[in-house]
Amino acid sequence: MNFFRQCLILTSSFLISLLTFVGISNADGHKGFKLGVVTFLSGPAAEPFGVPAWNGGKLFIKLLNEGKAPAPYNKIGFGGMKITAIPIDESGGATKQVQEFRNLVQRDKVDAVLGYVSSGDCMAIPSVADELKALTVLYDCGTPRVFEDASYKYVFRTAAHAAMDNIAIAKYLIEKGHDISSIAGINQNYAWGKDSWKDFSVSVKKLSPSSEIKNELFPKIFSGQYGTEISALMNSKAKVVHSSLWGGDLQSFILQAKPRGLFKRTQVVFSAGDHVMPGLGNKYPEGVILGARGQYGMMAPDTALNKWFYKSYMDEYGVFPAQPPYRMVQGLMGLKMAIEKAMETNGGKKPNKDEIAAAFKGLEFDSPGGLVQMRLGDGHQAIQPHAIGKTAKDKDGNITVTDIVRYKASCVNPPNGIKAVDWINAGFPGADC
Amino acid sequence: MSEKLYNNLLFQSIFLMSFLILVGLLIPNWLVFVITKAIAYGLVGLGIITLMRGGLVSFGQGFVFGIGGYTAGLLGTQAGLTDAMLLLFISFLFTGLVGLIIAPLLARYRDIFFAMLSLAFSMVLYGILIKIDAIGGSDGFVLPESTYFGIKPSSEYADYVLYVVAIIMTGFISILLRYYYDSTPGLIALAVRENELRVEYLGSSAFNVAVLNFTIAAGLGGMGGALNGIALGHIDPEFTYWTTSGEFVFISILAGYLSVPAVFLAALLLELVRSFSGRYFPDTWQLILGLFLILSIIFIPSGIGSFFKQFFDRLKKSK
């Protein structure tokens, strides 16, 4: 009977450890609002993107819990419920994220998840979110396909998708009279890079059919070395070089291309160029046309809400907020408004996810970057106004953004029910500029 | 008679399997999911261990893991086949076949050359998958929800049903492997590990052993990939990336080549450490994971399996 006795000991010790384990992970109570926050905290996307985004989110959550945010965000936490945030690292690929997501929902029993910068993660998460019936807010990722190829009940994206960035840049180039007779592009070899380049090059072709495409370069994501690509771009003599590089890749590209004179020789445009400005400071080149994927940072509108956010962030961290913190705060604001709207109709108790999802659909709310409207994807996908500008040195020698042109949300975003790429190909029908 | 029954492999395995299936009802959903995922990784680790017994280590099991995953995924999305058991079985056979085709090429190499060549295969596949936009490119694609004998379980039970299927299929595969390890060709593999030249002089073919073991490892890896894809509901080229392959190697080193259940325990341990360090140390989880890897290599160099072996050896002595 020795085997059985040993088995019994093993089994019982296994069960005991399991139960303590489960007990620990379920111990924390369930009073406030538990929010899982997923963003890059390690790897090349962390320093320029994930960490500032979470800094902005952390600060905003703290101010919300203290009830220090201005109206209409002046209620404590989310509708009076204190927010407890659980940050999770986004690095490691979509497969790992699906698992982390399940852990957040099933193990930590979060009330909602806010997150995702990478388009790959945004493609993978929504189907799991609907399967687990977990309220999910995508706060940043760009790919238009999330709500164009499918529809989800519990998933919302509180930021405009990437089509807007490239359409607006093409419009800007033409309005400002830049020579776009030939264009070239350097974009990462994955969905975001390819979609961005397609949106940009087709938009340019639509607005100026005579322009010619010289070079289309697709280096691998996170490659960090662009020597050959820069040579190719210099040799192509294209009038405009477009890039949707972001994070550490964009920093490397700027630092490697600047000494070789690329920015002096050609007009470079960055569709998401402002989030590396706090890190690079005055090393950022002059004369670059850039978007911030919304009216963010130096291109933010002059509203009381923006002034409050800009100042709070600046006071806390000593640098100005660029795209990432704006984006995360925008997501938190959308979620807060949806929850509080749901509480108005259910008599002020903690709303369930169905009530929040119903309130979120088609929601409109003010953010530091302007009015956000959940218009596309049947009320699940936001549109927002946009701004494009050009870098220049101010009188103290610091890099700033000038020549800012603002675009209405309905001018650079497709109407509901039309895919972004079809809308561009059709020549922007119904654009309200 | 009764004494013998306890030592019977089949009896022990079925006892363990039914125990795990029952435990699955008591533990929370997330743990059921983590165990399913550990089984998927353990299957691949088992493949590496099969190779290790013959003195080979593959740094590219992501190759078969990816093929298995994509086979299940493409059958699900393109051919509308959603039966999880069928998908697992087809992936097992198909990946085994792929393994059999490339095995003669790989089996001519040993040591680091074998490892690097297998790594090369996996990275070539990664490069190809990333470029095929029709199946999602670097984003991968989402799998349809799986069915079992034509029935789709409700979402509360989907995880548990897959867990049961995974345990039963893996259980029987593990039993077969144990028999294989103890059979003549299985034991020749150990001899090849000790002295390849002598095995050849004795009239056995080290080449054939390597081909056979690689084919088995490929089939297991494919099934693991399919299970992982079905469990997660999403597949992307990361399945074939070298870091994924590295995890499998680590699992097999942590487990050691002495015991089959140890592989699954090692995979579960790694999965739990990773998920809890990610949860409680979001900024420094890699550091925790790295420390865990270093400590386990320092303190249990011959793997968790060596504990099992000691335990059973002592058991035999005490009788």
Side-chain angles (χ1 to χ4, degrees), chain A residues 156-167:
Chain A
F156 296 87
R157 179 159 53 184
T158 49
H161 58 55
M164 161 179 111
D165 310 323
N166 298 293
I167 296 170

Side-chain angles (χ1 to χ4, degrees), chain A residues 97-402:
Chain A
Q97 287 318 311
V98 170
Q99 197 184 343
E100 296 288 1
F101 181 85
R102 298 187 76 115
N103 283 340
L104 278 174
V105 174
Q106 296 183 325
R107 186 165 75 203
D108 289 307
K109 307 240 177 339
V110 294
D111 297 299
V113 176
L114 173 99
Y116 307 108
V117 173
S118 149
S119 293
D121 297 337
C122 278
M123 296 295 287
I125 295 295
S127 59
V128 190
D130 257 23
E131 194 190 315
L132 300 177
K133 299 191 176 62
L135 189 71
T136 303
V137 181
L138 310 174
Y139 85 94
D140 183 72
C141 56
T143 177
R145 289 182 300 185
V146 180
F147 296 102
E148 284 183 352
D149 294 354
S151 64
Y152 304 99
K153 193 171 171 211
Y154 298 100
V155 185
F156 296 87
R157 179 159 53 184
T158 49
H161 58 55
M164 161 179 111
D165 310 323
N166 298 293
I167 296 170
I169 284 198
K171 285 186 185 252
Y172 183 92
L173 284 168
I174 285 168
E175 279 165 27
K176 290 278 170 182
H178 287 279
D179 182 0
I180 50 169
S181 56
S182 57
I183 56 171
I186 171 166
N187 294 283
Q188 289 140 324
N189 190 9
Y190 79 118
W192 158 258
K194 285 180 183 166
D195 289 350
S196 293
W197 171 244
K198 196 163 68 189
D199 291 348
F200 177 74
S201 55
V202 177
S203 298
V204 166
K205 279 272 187 193
K206 277 286 152 196
L207 296 168
S208 159
S210 62
S211 68
E212 170 198 8
I213 295 172
K214 289 269 194 189
N215 265 20
E216 300 176 289
L217 303 172
F218 293 104
K220 190 178 161 7
I221 183 170
F222 302 146
S223 74
Q225 291 296 327
Y226 301 99
T228 20
E229 283 84 358
I230 293 165
S231 302
L233 291 173
M234 304 278 285
N235 290 335
S236 79
K237 302 207 169 56
K239 298 289 182 224
V240 172
V241 169
H242 165 271
S243 178
S244 65
L245 293 178
W246 58 278
D249 284 7
L250 181 58
Q251 276 179 337
S252 315
F253 178 75
I254 288 175
L255 293 175
Q256 291 163 24
K258 202 181 168 193
R260 297 182 59 182
L262 181 71
F263 297 106
K264 292 224 164 65
R265 208 156 136 177
T266 48
Q267 179 60 57
V268 178
V269 301
F270 290 137
S271 68
D274 94 308
H275 61 282
V276 297
M277 289 178 97
L280 287 175
N282 285 340
K283 287 187 223 112
Y284 206 92
E286 289 171 75
V288 170
I289 293 172
L290 80 169
R293 307 208 54 219
Q295 306 187 86
Y296 301 138
M298 293 188 179
M299 289 177 272
D302 192 20
T303 59
L305 189 59
N306 178 55
K307 276 185 197 147
W308 169 80
F309 173 65
Y310 196 97
K311 189 176 175 306
S312 316
Y313 189 91
M314 194 84 180
D315 289 348
E316 183 83 13
Y317 300 109
V319 284
F320 78 92
Q323 174 204 340
Y326 272 90
R327 275 286 168 101
M328 188 171 280
V329 166
Q330 191 167 318
L332 288 165
M333 285 178 165
L335 186 57
K336 181 175 164 69
M337 285 294 112
I339 291 168
E340 285 168 8
K341 190 174 150 200
M343 287 171 90
E344 274 168 26
T345 48
N346 81 352
K349 56 180 197 307
K350 184 174 180 173
N352 63 30
K353 41 199 145 193
D354 290 290
E355 288 166 343
I356 300 175
F360 221 138
K361 226 174 153 174
L363 187 75
E364 300 197 353
F365 58 96
D366 271 311
S367 80
L371 181 70
V372 181
Q373 298 162 297
M374 306 296 290
R375 280 274 181 85
L376 309 186
D378 289 323
H380 287 251
Q381 162 68 51
I383 58 171
Q384 62 184 91
H386 197 25
I388 302 290
K390 196 172 191 174
T391 55
K393 281 216 163 93
D394 66 6
K395 56 184 189 310
D396 305 325
N398 293 323
I399 289 284
T400 58
V401 181
T402 56

Side-chain angles (χ1 to χ4, degrees), chain B residues 87-116:
Chain B
L87 286 176
L88 288 174
F89 193 63
I90 295 174
S91 303
F92 176 73
L93 289 183
F94 180 73
T95 320
L97 189 70
V98 174
L100 186 63
I101 293 168
I102 65 162
L105 180 66
L106 282 161
R108 287 163 38 207
Y109 299 90
R110 292 290 174 271
D111 306 328
I112 193 71
F113 304 103
F114 177 86
M116 295 316 282

